[in-house]
Amino acid sequence: MQATKNGISWRLFLFSYLFLESSAQEFGGQTQFICTSVPKDMDICAATLQNSVPGEDLKTTVMQLRETVLQQKETIMNQKETIRELTSKLARCESQSGAEPGDARPGGRRKEAGTKNTMGDVSRGPTDTLTQLSQTLQSLKQRLENLEQFSRNNNSVQANSLKDLLQSKIDDLEKQVLSRVNSIEEGKPGLRNETEQRGRVESTLTSLHQRITDLEKGQRQNRPLDKFQLTFPLRTNYMYAKVKKSLPEMYALTVCMWLKSNASPGVGTPFSYAVPGQANELVLIEWGNNPMEILINDKVAKLPFLINDGKWHHICVTWTTRDGVWEAFQDGVMRGSGENLAPYHPIKPQGMLILGQEQDTLGGGFDATQAFVGDLANFHIWDRKLSIGEIYNLATCSSKAQVGNVFSWLETSIDIYGGASKWTFEACRQLN
């Protein structure tokens, strides 16, 4: 009888072991088995059920966790959809306001270097765009007035005919500007089509620039190659002139030019010379509320120039690599001097000389806020330090005045881009 009871207990133990093992395989992972004695009078199924309770709790917990994960996933998907909708609405709003998506800086994102656009930075707001457009139209009108004067002096029937046509187109553009102003003031939905309107106006302005340039070519046919000025009417990142040849290595230099500007704040960058590995090899710049500065190998000297009064001024800067000594002249008079400006650093060759823009990279990386606005003429460079008398001769247009032996001011020596224009200029005859 005792053997029978022992046999039954053994079978019950084996059955419980097999049941628990199958439960462990169902839940996976590593398990531990705990042997529990079962009273002889207790029902086997009840004992088995009692031993399986922890497994059921685990199942319930897993199901709850799975449900939580699914709910969180659904929440995340809803949030992503909301973000996409908000992003789409923001892009539409920015498109209507003239700003580019993703650009929170006032004035919009700067255009890539080398891009030409006669209306300036397309990412400007409506008010800035209208101001820029009005300035462009004013520049075109000024050029037409000059052409009209030329045509009267030369009795050119063809020039008069073309001038009338261009004047008519400019009148139409001014009406478009007035319409845009009314739309902004009244909050009309017409601004939604601002991109298309801007494109049409841009195309018309580009055509006008080209026609006026063609007409101006006739004016230049009988002009001496050195009797001209460059005009940069707008502060943009695309309007500039490029000198066709590079500079040689120089251990001393003199840079002279005539400038006329009333831009504020700062007249901008009359010229910049960049070489591989150094964008600020030789730069003349007046940026923001800072005084005008000369940079050599990215070293700076502040210059005592005051030229943004809308009058013509002759300026010269001399420099020698020995001790970095420099001198600054305005209208033939020395206004300041100093030393330790990039001492014993020769100006490097094989670079790019740009008029009207500051280079952040070789031949590019222009920033509209640093652009020169005004007129520039008689730009010359020497590889030596000119004397006070030589500089005075230049400023007074003396017959003894010399031309640069590194770069001399000739119309055939430069290329212009982005709407900068050339006009007849004779120093000391057109002053103020």
Side-chain angles (χ1 to χ4, degrees), residues 2 20 24 30 64 114 171 179 204 249 282 290 296 325 330-331 341 376 385 388 428 431:
Q2 184 67 29
L20 289 173
Q30 296 181 350
Q64 290 175 348
D171 291 341
S179 176
T204 305
E249 185 176 57
L282 177 60
N290 301 312
I296 297 179
V325 176
Q330 179 174 327
D331 300 325
L341 175 59
L376 184 153
K385 176 183 175 181
I388 295 177
C428 298
L431 298 186

Side-chain angles (χ1 to χ4, degrees), residues 316-343:
C316 285
V317 178
T318 68
W319 170 85
T320 62
T321 185
R322 185 174 181 177
D323 296 328
V325 176
W326 60 269
E327 296 175 342
F329 297 79
Q330 179 174 327
D331 300 325
V333 178
M334 184 188 296
R335 298 296 179 90
S337 63
E339 59 183 13
N340 202 34
L341 175 59

Side-chain angles (χ1 to χ4, degrees), residues 12-13 15-16 19-20 34 36-54:
L12 288 174
F13 173 79
F15 177 81
S16 299
F19 178 83
L20 289 173
I34 301 176
T36 305
S37 61
V38 179
K40 65 180 181 178
D41 296 331
M42 188 174 185
D43 183 70
I44 296 175
C45 294
T48 304
L49 182 61
Q50 182 178 352
N51 290 332
S52 66
V53 169

Side-chain angles (χ1 to χ4, degrees), residues 230 232 239-243 353-356 414-417 420:
L230 287 180
F232 304 91
M239 192 177 294
Y240 65 100
K242 181 171 69 174
V243 174
L353 182 57
I354 298 292
L355 306 179
I414 61 173
D415 293 321
I416 60 174
Y417 300 91

Side-chain angles (χ1 to χ4, degrees), residues 99 103-110 121 123-125 128 369:
D103 188 2
R105 181 170 58 84
R109 186 165 50 207
R110 198 182 81 183
D121 195 339
S123 60
R124 296 176 183 268
D128 291 337
T369 63

